[in-house]
Amino acid sequence: MLFNSVVFFLFLILIIPLYYLCKSTKSRVWLLLVSSYVFYAYWDWRFCGLLMLSTLTDYWIGLKMFQQESKKKKRSWLWLSLLINLGVLSFFKYYNFFIDSFQIVLNGFGFQPDFFHLEILLPVGISFYTFQTLSYTIDIYRGRLKPTNDFPQFALFVSFFPQLVAGPIERARDLLPQIANLNKASKLQIESGINLIVLGLFKKVMIGDTAGRYADHIFSDVGAYPSFELITALLLFTIQIYADFSGYSHIARGVAKLLGVELMKNFNQPYLSRNITEFWRRWHISLSSWLRDYVYISLGGNRRGKRRTYVNLMLTMLIGGLWHGASWNFVIWGGLHGIYLAIHKMILNNKKENYENLQFSKQNIIPFVTNVALTFFLVSFTWLFFRVNSINEIVLFFSKIIHWESTQFVWQYLKVGLSFFTVIMLFQIFEYQTGMHAFTLKIQNKAVRYGLLSEMFFLSIVYI
């Protein structure tokens, strides 16, 4: 069930009143648990079994691990959790990728093996809930979390439908206490939630999906389009992936607020970042912080010298790339970001920088805009590897840029590209200036605010 669908809003119209009719936390937990499985089953009911397998595995392992006094025994239980969760994820997401890659290597040595390929349907959201449950067992192993004895609450932590299929990837220490005390949302949460849902829906549908139609059309046949159209398509995809993903995250946070639950911010004006390190502090925050806490730090972080720090950065970003999809394109994308981060760390030379405040003022407008533009260019370049379907398309893309082909439609494509770019930058500027994603709450005149929100919601629903 997709957020940008009429059936989802019918689902919400049914669930939310029932939630407020519940008299206790226990009844609310059971209602949301059943609702979350219905939400997931709408896509394919058979994969609810995988979701339950991951839930049962880590609930049981968490309790067993906590009972052990020996660090060695705790580590054995952790390895079991890693083996089961990553084993299931690897089979469904990476089986054919590993088989194909191994076959290519053997072909290079003159062998022609005939491996057994499977037609495997990838379960939606498996990467998200796998990382979420793994953070639970790893935190118990590290002594940062006590396991819960309430299975329904833990099952809801794993399957909570607002963030089940596309994040944010929540930590048990943040979400489980809220689930244990589910209550009606406050007036501020309801108002903020409605604003987030409408803004997120508009951002995803009217900006992301619309920009995506242009980008998809051009990238479907790279060889048929001249140079300027290809650059425009890359710009539009850069806008699409941010508007789509951040819009989805806004809706997730908004729906959770209507249920009295606070989810973490997943995007924080990433395209206003002044450098690549800041970009990863603002882009897909739940994933980047997960990779930092459970991969980068586990590898040693920056505690083993500069050379090892750069290696750890690269390995972390390669894993992050592979997490996004089973393709060498994603690995290259992650590798490029690893190189960017390593170079920026060399430039900083252990200097600490504040990434919480963008520090924009009239005095620093030129260096600020220059740094933002350079970072945007570097990030946009990497999105090419994220979007194309094969290495051959990448070669063709660069060939068309190097051997420039003119077009009579420059003005038309320029208008399209700049229009979407302007709108998405305005969204970020409003978020930055107001200090909140639900920036429409700052409109004091309620008639204007609700009129604007109603119009945005109506347009989005009609477009859907």
Side-chain angles (χ1 to χ4, degrees):
M1 194 182 299
L2 297 174
F3 286 171
N4 56 320
S5 64
V6 174
V7 69
F8 174 72
F9 286 96
L10 295 175
F11 173 77
L12 279 187
I13 290 171
L14 174 65
I15 297 304
I16 291 178
L18 290 175
Y19 179 83
Y20 282 87
L21 288 173
C22 293
K23 301 298 184 183
S24 65
T25 294
K26 185 176 181 180
S27 59
R28 293 187 185 109
V29 167
W30 276 107
L31 172 67
L32 291 182
L33 180 57
V34 172
S35 302
S36 296
Y37 272 81
V38 170
F39 174 87
Y40 197 69
Y42 185 84
W43 174 72
D44 192 325
W45 64 270
R46 295 170 297 178
F47 289 111
C48 287
L50 277 180
L51 184 61
M52 182 53 70
L53 173 65
S54 185
T55 302
L56 288 167
T57 296
D58 287 317
Y59 175 76
W60 177 65
I61 288 176
L63 291 173
K64 290 292 184 182
M65 188 189 302
F66 190 71
Q67 293 169 2
Q68 308 302 318
E69 295 183 1
S70 164
K71 194 75 172 178
K72 185 177 180 180
K73 290 182 178 179
K74 287 180 182 287
R75 191 180 297 116
S76 298
W77 285 109
L78 176 62
W79 275 110
L80 181 61
S81 174
L82 291 168
L83 183 65
I84 294 173
N85 283 288
L86 296 180
V88 171
L89 177 63
S90 298
F91 174 76
F92 281 94
K93 193 167 185 175
Y94 304 110
Y95 174 82
N96 284 331
F97 169 71
F98 289 137
I99 290 295
D100 290 339
S101 300
F102 190 53
Q103 189 166 358
I104 291 171
V105 172
L106 291 181
N107 288 344
F109 289 97
F111 298 103
Q112 299 292 330
D114 185 19
F115 287 110
F116 185 60
H117 289 76
L118 299 175
E119 293 295 327
I120 301 173
L121 186 64
L122 179 65
V124 67
I126 189 171
S127 299
F128 288 91
Y129 71 71
T130 297
F131 271 26
Q132 186 152 310
T133 58
L134 279 177
S135 70
Y136 175 77
T137 53
I138 295 172
D139 280 350
I140 293 173
Y141 171 76
R142 290 177 173 177
R144 297 177 180 175
L145 182 71
K146 292 182 179 181
T148 177
N149 291 308
D150 193 308
F151 179 75
Q153 289 183 12
F154 180 76
L156 181 57
F157 157 72
V158 178
S159 64
F160 188 48
F161 75 86
Q163 47 87 223
L164 173 59
V165 299
I169 304 169
E170 287 291 330
R171 308 293 176 88
R173 60 178 177 267
D174 297 323
L175 187 53
L176 268 176
Q178 295 187 74
I179 291 174
N181 295 282
L182 281 178
N183 213 327
K184 296 177 181 179
S186 67
K187 182 181 177 181
L188 179 60
Q189 281 182 314
I190 292 172
E191 195 166 2
S192 178
I194 292 171
N195 280 257
L196 274 175
I197 291 169
V198 174
L199 288 170
L201 188 67
F202 185 87
K203 188 189 280 191
K204 190 207 179 307
V205 173
M206 302 304 294
I207 304 174
D209 290 353
T210 312
R213 292 180 192 277
Y214 285 97
D216 291 345
H217 188 76
I218 296 172
F219 275 113
S220 65
D221 190 359
V222 174
Y225 291 90
S227 310
F228 191 79
E229 277 108 350
L230 292 178
I231 291 176
T232 305
L234 182 56
L235 172 64
L236 289 170
F237 179 69
T238 300
I239 295 164
Q240 175 199 0
I241 195 167
Y242 167 61
D244 184 281
F245 209 170
S246 66
Y248 215 88
S249 294
H250 283 9
I251 299 170
R253 291 180 60 223
V255 172
K257 281 178 181 289
L258 297 183
L259 302 169
V261 175
E262 295 289 338
L263 300 180
M264 70 179 295
K265 283 185 178 181
N266 213 13
F267 294 86
N268 199 22
Q269 304 97 51
Y271 288 160
L272 294 180
S273 301
R274 296 156 296 175
N275 54 63
I276 203 68
T277 302
E278 183 174 11
F279 173 79
W280 277 103
R281 299 285 180 92
R282 297 180 177 278
W283 177 272
H284 204 341
I285 300 167
S286 64
L287 174 64
S288 60
S289 61
W290 197 100
L291 291 171
R292 178 197 65 207
D293 294 344
Y294 301 112
V295 178
Y296 178 68
I297 290 177
S298 296
L299 290 171
N302 59 359
R303 301 187 303 273
R304 300 182 182 180
K306 291 184 178 180
R307 184 178 298 179
R308 181 60 185 270
T309 298
Y310 301 142
V311 171
N312 292 342
L313 272 174
M314 179 60 72
L315 288 174
T316 301
M317 295 312 298
L318 289 173
I319 291 170
L322 196 58
W323 178 87
H324 282 88
S327 167
W328 285 108
N329 290 15
F330 295 109
V331 176
I332 295 171
W333 173 82
L336 285 171
H337 276 281
I339 293 170
Y340 288 169
L341 288 167
I343 292 173
H344 185 242
K345 207 166 187 66
M346 290 179 192
I347 294 171
L348 283 179
N349 195 24
N350 295 323
K351 178 185 173 184
K352 298 292 183 182
E353 289 200 346
N354 177 21
Y355 298 117
E356 298 301 318
N357 190 345
L358 287 168
Q359 299 173 344
F360 173 76
S361 66
K362 292 180 180 179
Q363 289 73 29
N364 72 345
I365 186 170
I366 293 177
F368 181 89
V369 171
T370 302
N371 291 336
V372 168
L374 177 59
T375 305
F376 183 81
F377 170 79
L378 292 172
V379 170
S380 298
F381 171 75
T382 65
W383 287 133
L384 174 64
F385 299 88
F386 210 90
R387 178 58 185 83
V388 295
N389 299 313
S390 66
I391 301 297
N392 291 335
E393 286 189 5
I394 294 173
V395 174
L396 181 58
F397 185 97
F398 284 121
S399 175
K400 291 244 180 184
I401 301 303
I402 294 170
H403 304 287
W404 189 265
E405 298 176 354
S406 59
T407 175
Q408 59 181 318
F409 302 112
V410 170
W411 178 236
Q412 288 89 331
Y413 277 89
L414 189 62
K415 284 193 294 185
V416 172
L418 286 179
S419 297
F420 281 104
F421 178 78
T422 301
V423 172
I424 203 63
M425 293 305 285
L426 283 174
F427 261 80
Q428 292 189 107
I429 291 169
F430 290 151
E431 290 174 358
Y432 164 64
Q433 289 291 344
T434 59
M436 58 198 307
H437 286 165
F439 55 82
T440 44
L441 284 172
K442 292 292 184 178
I443 301 174
Q444 297 299 318
N445 190 315
K446 290 188 177 181
V448 174
R449 186 201 309 163
Y450 293 135
L452 177 62
L453 289 172
S454 299
E455 185 67 19
M456 294 174 80
F457 183 74
F458 177 74
L459 283 172
S460 302
I461 291 296
V462 169
Y463 193 83
I464 289 173

